[in-house]
Amino acid sequence: MSRIGSKRASNMKRIIIFSIIGVLVASTFALVYSTRFAEEKREEVNKQAEELFKLARCGDGIARSTTYIQEFLLPSECSMPVGIAIDKQGNVWTVSSSKNKVIKYEPMLNRFDEFDIPSKQVTKDIPFPIWAVLADEKDRLWFTDAENNSIWLFDNLSKEFKQFKLQSTSEFGTSMPVDMKIHDNRLWFIGVYSKHIGMVDINTLELKELPISVELQALGTLALDKQGNVWFTALTLGSKGSLYKLDINTNQITVYDLPITNPVGTSIDSDGNIWINDHGSSMFIMFNPNTKEIVKYVTPLPPRCTNLGLYDRCIRDGGSPLTCGGYQVSLPYWNAIDSKGRVWFNEHQGNAIAVFDPNTLTLIEYHIPTYNRAWGSCDNYKDEPCGISNPLRFTLADDDTVWFTEFSDNKIARLDASKALPYTLEVNEHIYTIKRGESISIPLTITSKIGVSIEMVIASTETPEGRIKDINAEFSERVFNIQAESSKVINLIVKASDGLEQGEYTLTIGARSKDITYSRVVKLIVE
């Protein structure tokens, strides 16, 4: 994915910065291709590599479903969708950068329409150039265009396009606009390579770009609080992540250090708390601007089927099913908060759409039914699911309806979270205290409405990836079947090793089945 003819240093910088928003994808190709065909004949290798490359970009053309998720194939093959939005009529919009088209889906009619974007596709080799899509109150669609360093407006009534060329740029010829939010008739946007915050007045269509002083390598995403202040993230990949507050009245910037190094999804709840995802681990955090308190949470490790060969390697190196995931991190990506205060996010490598309720400390992960084998090390997974579908962005239609894109599978999909869950997991307490070197028992009650097979999982904030390290855990039963209309008590024995640092940790304790993972979060105070 590097630009032919550019300087090697520029290419390296491009790769490093792009890792913020998905370079995992490119590195996956290198890992899979470099080992899979090394000893086979060149002609056969080339043919299989071409087939695998097409599979990785276009999927297998099969729309799948679960009890909760229904997939829809896009009309043009290999559309590679990323951004997605819902308009006031309930129509779903996405944009294909590979086909240079705006795509509209009407769920009531089950009908797609496509509209050609009137721009020349230039070859800057910007991966995934159309990251953000928004619908405003005037039945208009806005979307970013990193390849052309632009923001676009599409009027659904007149079918006319308007392009806003950005002045801020970079050595790559683009500021790579990546995220947008609408607040008080203003569309705010941010670019990965830019040192500006942009704004379009959606009434007058006036464009402004405000220079900002940021020392870190790249910008992340943005959110607006009730006062109209712009909060945004920045990072130096794998090294440092920070949160910035821009006072739009004074242009004053306040900086807050973060305990994560790859902050991406950023949203603000009704209490003013800022929720941020770390797209380099399994961690997501809550930051209270008033108290400066930061609370860390982690998702369970991804299922074995999302592997890149890492699960089997982890087992060989002495790990256990409780400490070995498919991929080592779930990569929580973008986020949004519904009217109930729940935090929704997509798990890029976990291949799931998740919702966390801070009030009940419940995390539900809905597993996406497509697993693209081109995005995994799947030679030993004959009829088993293997890989991921690259769920890169999503949008909330309402509190229980989520639409999302599957970049590598030419699909959009709908999650219906109003449907009853097959089982629940309850804990007696949400706070436990333990002394180093000692053990405690945490009773868990699973109540099932249907017969289901369950695997128990656990993760801890002692490591960013969620892997338990100096906390030893053992379930009385780890894998079991539970009958319909019945309950089962599982005991979790937790031991704090002598080397575990004193302090507070959060444990994510889950029950995983084929369609969902139902988890409870508890606080563990180590004395």
Side-chain angles (χ1 to χ4, degrees), residues 144-208:
T144 59
D145 180 356
E147 193 171 54
N148 292 288
N149 198 34
S150 300
I151 302 292
W152 285 87
L153 171 62
F154 173 66
D155 192 314
N156 185 37
L157 298 178
S158 66
K159 303 298 186 286
E160 294 178 343
F161 288 84
K162 180 176 176 60
Q163 182 180 18
F164 299 83
K165 290 288 290 185
L166 306 182
Q167 294 182 351
S168 58
T169 185
S170 70
E171 63 188 282
F172 308 123
T174 179
S175 62
M176 198 168 184
V178 71
D179 193 29
M180 302 186 297
K181 299 286 169 59
I182 293 177
H183 185 272
D184 286 345
N185 293 317
R186 292 177 174 179
L187 181 140
W188 295 88
F189 61 89
I190 194 169
V192 174
Y193 301 147
S194 176
K195 293 303 170 98
H196 292 73
I197 297 292
M199 186 272 291
V200 178
D201 187 309
I202 63 176
N203 291 323
T204 66
L205 301 185
E206 179 185 7
L207 169 68
K208 292 182 179 180

Side-chain angles (χ1 to χ4, degrees), residues 342-376:
R342 299 178 302 178
V343 185
W344 290 86
F345 55 93
N346 51 327
E347 296 181 16
H348 182 180
Q349 185 64 41
N351 209 48
I353 303 296
V355 58
F356 175 66
D357 189 330
N359 296 312
T360 63
L361 295 176
T362 303
L363 175 67
I364 309 297
E365 297 166 283
Y366 295 89
H367 305 156
I368 297 169
T370 289
Y371 297 85
N372 190 319
R373 301 178 75 83
W375 298 91

Side-chain angles (χ1 to χ4, degrees), residues 36-241:
R36 183 170 298 182
F37 307 121
E39 299 178 358
E40 298 181 11
K41 294 180 181 179
R42 183 176 300 275
E43 183 176 345
E44 184 180 351
V45 166
N46 290 340
K47 181 180 178 181
Q48 292 184 6
E50 288 175 4
E51 292 174 353
L52 192 61
F53 185 71
K54 184 177 180 181
L55 177 63
R57 293 166 55 91
C58 313
D60 59 11
I62 300 174
R64 298 174 174 85
S65 64
T66 67
T67 302
Y68 307 98
I69 292 175
Q70 183 179 4
E71 298 179 333
F72 303 87
L73 289 170
L74 296 179
S76 294
E77 189 181 34
C78 308
S79 291
M80 303 173 73
V82 179
I84 189 168
I86 306 289
D87 66 19
K88 291 190 301 181
Q89 288 72 40
N91 300 313
V92 184
W93 296 85
T94 188
V95 182
S96 167
S97 54
S98 63
K99 303 298 182 181
N100 215 35
K101 293 178 182 291
V102 169
I103 304 168
K104 175 184 178 182
Y105 177 63
E106 298 178 78
M108 296 297 292
L109 301 176
N110 191 26
R111 184 177 72 187
F112 281 97
D113 287 310
E114 295 182 317
F115 308 93
D116 292 328
I117 303 171
S119 71
K120 261 190 178 179
Q121 285 186 297
V122 291
T123 307
K124 286 194 179 72
D125 193 23
I126 302 297
F128 320 146
I130 299 175
W131 272 95
V133 181
L134 282 179
D136 67 18
E137 292 297 316
K138 297 184 178 182
D139 204 29
R140 301 177 302 183
L141 194 74
W142 298 82
F143 58 93
T144 59
D145 180 356
E147 193 171 54
N148 292 288
N149 198 34
S150 300
I151 302 292
W152 285 87
L153 171 62
F154 173 66
D155 192 314
N156 185 37
L157 298 178
S158 66
K159 303 298 186 286
E160 294 178 343
F161 288 84
K162 180 176 176 60
Q163 182 180 18
F164 299 83
K165 290 288 290 185
L166 306 182
Q167 294 182 351
S168 58
T169 185
S170 70
E171 63 188 282
F172 308 123
T174 179
S175 62
M176 198 168 184
V178 71
D179 193 29
M180 302 186 297
K181 299 286 169 59
I182 293 177
H183 185 272
D184 286 345
N185 293 317
R186 292 177 174 179
L187 181 140
W188 295 88
F189 61 89
I190 194 169
V192 174
Y193 301 147
S194 176
K195 293 303 170 98
H196 292 73
I197 297 292
M199 186 272 291
V200 178
D201 187 309
I202 63 176
N203 291 323
T204 66
L205 301 185
E206 179 185 7
L207 169 68
K208 292 182 179 180
E209 295 177 74
L210 311 174
I212 54 176
S213 177
V214 175
E215 294 181 358
L216 299 182
Q217 189 180 63
L219 301 185
T221 61
L222 55 79
L224 283 296
D225 64 22
K226 294 177 181 178
Q227 291 72 42
N229 298 308
V230 182
W231 295 81
F232 62 95
T233 57
L235 60 148
T236 295
L237 182 66
S239 175
K240 182 178 177 61

Side-chain angles (χ1 to χ4, degrees), residues 459-504:
S460 164
T461 54
E462 60 179 318
T463 64
E465 65 269 21
R467 196 182 308 278
I468 54 176
K469 183 182 176 184
D470 292 320
I471 295 174
N472 300 313
E474 183 177 349
F475 292 99
S476 56
E477 289 185 74
R478 190 183 66 82
V479 180
F480 54 88
N481 295 324
I482 185 169
Q483 301 301 314
E485 303 296 337
S486 65
S487 294
K488 187 179 183 68
V489 175
I490 299 293
N491 288 311
L492 170 63
I493 306 300
V494 173
K495 181 179 180 179
S497 70
D498 293 332
L500 182 63
E501 293 185 8
Q502 293 179 325
E504 295 184 0

Side-chain angles (χ1 to χ4, degrees), residues 501-520:
E501 293 185 8
Q502 293 179 325
E504 295 184 0
Y505 302 87
T506 56
L507 301 180
T508 304
I509 306 165
R512 175 172 288 158
S513 62
K514 179 182 177 182
D515 289 348
I516 70 164
T517 301
Y518 190 116
S519 298
R520 290 286 188 172

